[in-house]
Amino acid sequence: MTKKVSALIILILVMACLVSCNTGAVREPVQSSVLKPETYYTSFKISACFGRFIETPYGSYFASGNRYIYYSHKGNTKYVKLCNKPDCSHNSEDCNAFLKGSVIGYYDNKIYYRRFKHIYCMDMDGCNHKIVKALYEEHCSNHGYFHNGYYYYIKTNFAEYNGVKGKDDPTLYRTKVDDKSESEVLLTNDLILQTDMFTMIGDNIYISVRNSDPDKISSLYSYSTVTESLSKLTDDWSGLGSYLRDENKGYCYVKNKGFYEYDFGTNEMSLVKPIELENGGISGAFYLDDYILLVHNNSVPFDYENQVMCIYDRDYNLLNTIVFDKANGKIPGGFLSDVDGYIIFSSNFRDKPDYYIDKSEIGTDNLQFHKIED
């Protein structure tokens, strides 16, 4: 109860600070009855821009490709750069919203972000940026995510969007974000050198590893931070078009084959919904609590203006098909994440979110993209 009251007080302060230069951000405070458990806000959440869109008790935050962090009260309402400096132009490195590009996380009334090999924190209104710690001494990059008060990472020579390459340290680390303690080694194994990506659910880390078999896409491993045990789950995982929902089942989409489910108890992988799309193309699936979004593009070369989104319920029934034609050709844009009753999109991942779908329109003829007004 104390945390919820504290959250409401800080939310009011955030609104008061933002009004000085971003009047569009002012909204009524959320009611304590709609606050979710703290683990909901601090847990890693899969979205199209991994680790860059987060929900908090105070609203939604997005670290865009233009190196700024944006704030929205409800996720589908106006996004503003998170800065309350008087007379700030909001287009220079002196702006409080300038992060130099980073994954972000929320924990205990603070926003955390990584800049090169350092962890930083700031207040919820964008003030008081501080260095928390250096992750290590050597000069190298890293790839990782914030989750439940920790930053999990792999050291790299360089990082790629939605994947990691150039690794020469076969170690997975984590570090507390709110103290000066050193990083701890979670796992040292050569499979880390072949890791495409990793995700966290509760106390488990799921690691997707490139497969040498050309007929398969990737292998899936599970590592428990409690028992410190590593297990191979399957050699038939789909890598980026996948999502692990709970401790009992894994869900993934394999391009031009369909939706699969993996039973952790029986170690069986089953094709539950065959799907063969015209011209193959590039596809990715995003599993929400209530829907599955299958985003397909069959343009050669790839064109972000030609994204077809199929919306399924969790029983794999097709509800709607809609074209996201808001992106600008070669500039990356599309699905970002979902917040409560809305699915959020950006026509340009280098800028702020600017469209949303109202979930109440799914399954009807009224489904459309709504503009997030400036």
Side-chain angles (χ1 to χ4, degrees):
M1 183 64 183
T2 302
K3 278 193 172 183
K4 290 184 177 180
V5 173
S6 175
L8 289 174
I9 293 173
I10 293 178
L11 175 58
I12 295 171
L13 294 176
V14 169
M15 297 305 169
C17 289
L18 287 173
V19 71
S20 64
C21 62
N22 291 318
T23 56
V26 179
R27 297 290 187 274
E28 291 296 321
V30 296
Q31 300 297 315
S32 60
S33 60
V34 302
L35 286 175
K36 302 180 177 76
E38 187 74 5
T39 52
Y40 175 87
Y41 299 111
T42 60
S43 293
F44 171 77
K45 184 176 183 179
I46 291 179
S47 67
C49 291
F50 287 80
R52 292 180 177 270
F53 189 99
I54 60 172
E55 289 180 68
T56 77
Y58 319 111
S60 298
Y61 294 77
F62 176 58
S64 74
N66 68 6
R67 301 184 176 185
Y68 289 90
I69 184 170
Y70 291 85
Y71 168 83
S72 170
H73 177 58
K74 293 184 178 179
N76 72 318
T77 52
K78 179 179 179 179
Y79 282 79
V80 295
K81 289 179 179 175
L82 190 66
C83 177
N84 62 3
K85 280 185 178 180
D87 304 320
C88 181
S89 65
H90 307 307
N91 59 10
S92 71
E93 294 189 15
D94 293 329
C95 178
N96 274 346
F98 187 77
L99 296 187
K100 291 188 177 179
S102 174
V103 293
I104 55 177
Y106 166 79
Y107 184 68
D108 197 18
N109 302 324
K110 295 284 187 182
I111 296 292
Y112 290 87
Y113 61 99
R114 175 192 57 81
R115 183 179 294 174
F116 303 112
K117 64 179 182 179
H118 290 91
I119 298 296
Y120 287 72
C121 72
M122 62 179 169
D123 294 341
M124 302 303 295
D125 62 357
C127 293
N128 298 321
H129 291 245
K130 298 177 182 178
I131 295 178
V132 177
K133 66 173 70 174
L135 296 172
Y136 39 78
E137 294 183 358
E138 62 264 41
H139 182 71
C140 65
S141 185
N142 64 83
H143 177 88
Y145 310 106
F146 292 96
H147 176 70
N148 284 343
Y150 287 88
Y151 179 66
Y152 293 76
Y153 67 96
I154 296 171
K155 293 179 183 178
T156 66
N157 295 328
F158 62 90
E160 284 194 342
Y161 176 71
N162 282 356
V164 187
K165 288 187 178 180
K167 300 175 292 296
D168 51 21
D169 181 352
T171 307
L172 175 63
Y173 301 87
R174 77 173 178 182
T175 187
K176 284 283 291 178
V177 298
D178 59 346
D179 63 27
K180 299 290 185 179
S181 61
E182 294 185 358
S183 297
E184 61 177 302
V185 172
L186 289 178
L187 173 66
T188 298
N189 192 294
D190 284 345
L191 70 86
I192 297 297
L193 300 176
Q194 301 300 318
T195 297
D196 280 326
M197 64 177 294
F198 62 91
T199 57
M200 291 78 66
I201 296 180
D203 296 320
N204 291 330
I205 303 172
Y206 295 93
I207 304 169
S208 177
V209 177
R210 291 189 296 276
N211 201 309
S212 58
D213 186 338
D215 294 328
K216 302 181 185 298
I217 300 176
S218 62
S219 299
L220 181 67
Y221 292 79
S222 173
Y223 177 77
S224 170
T225 59
V226 176
T227 65
E228 300 182 352
S229 59
L230 176 69
S231 304
K232 177 186 278 191
L233 302 180
T234 178
D235 282 324
D236 295 310
W237 201 241
S238 69
L240 299 180
S242 61
Y243 177 76
L244 288 156
R245 178 177 170 79
D246 52 42
E247 304 298 330
N248 300 313
K249 279 190 176 182
Y251 306 85
C252 72
Y253 170 78
V254 178
K255 185 181 72 172
N256 227 31
K257 291 185 178 180
F259 292 109
Y260 286 78
E261 291 184 358
Y262 176 80
D263 190 310
F264 292 156
T266 63
N267 293 327
E268 293 181 350
M269 191 85 160
S270 303
L271 176 63
V272 294
K273 178 73 172 182
I275 297 177
E276 186 172 343
L277 297 171
E278 181 183 356
N279 195 28
I282 298 174
S283 302
F286 301 96
Y287 291 78
L288 313 181
D289 287 340
D290 37 11
Y291 300 104
I292 304 170
L293 307 183
L294 177 60
V295 181
H296 176 65
N297 189 307
N298 60 11
S299 297
V300 180
F302 188 85
D303 187 341
Y304 284 93
E305 287 183 322
N306 188 28
Q307 297 181 70
V308 178
M309 187 174 69
C310 302
I311 305 178
Y312 295 82
D313 63 22
R314 291 309 304 262
D315 293 320
Y316 305 103
N317 299 305
L318 179 62
L319 303 177
N320 291 96
T321 298
I322 187 170
V323 177
F324 183 72
D325 56 359
K326 313 300 181 183
N328 181 17
K330 306 303 179 185
I331 299 175
F335 165 75
L336 267 182
S337 189
D338 73 313
V339 180
D340 295 327
Y342 307 100
I343 303 174
I344 312 301
F345 296 80
S346 177
S347 61
N348 181 355
F349 289 150
R350 299 170 188 169
D351 206 341
K352 59 187 177 182
D354 50 1
Y355 289 92
Y356 71 92
I357 279 178
D358 189 325
K359 289 183 181 179
S360 67
E361 296 175 355
I362 294 177
T364 74
D365 294 333
N366 299 321
L367 183 67
Q368 60 182 299
F369 291 100
H370 299 272
K371 187 75 169 66
I372 298 176
E373 300 301 331
D374 292 329

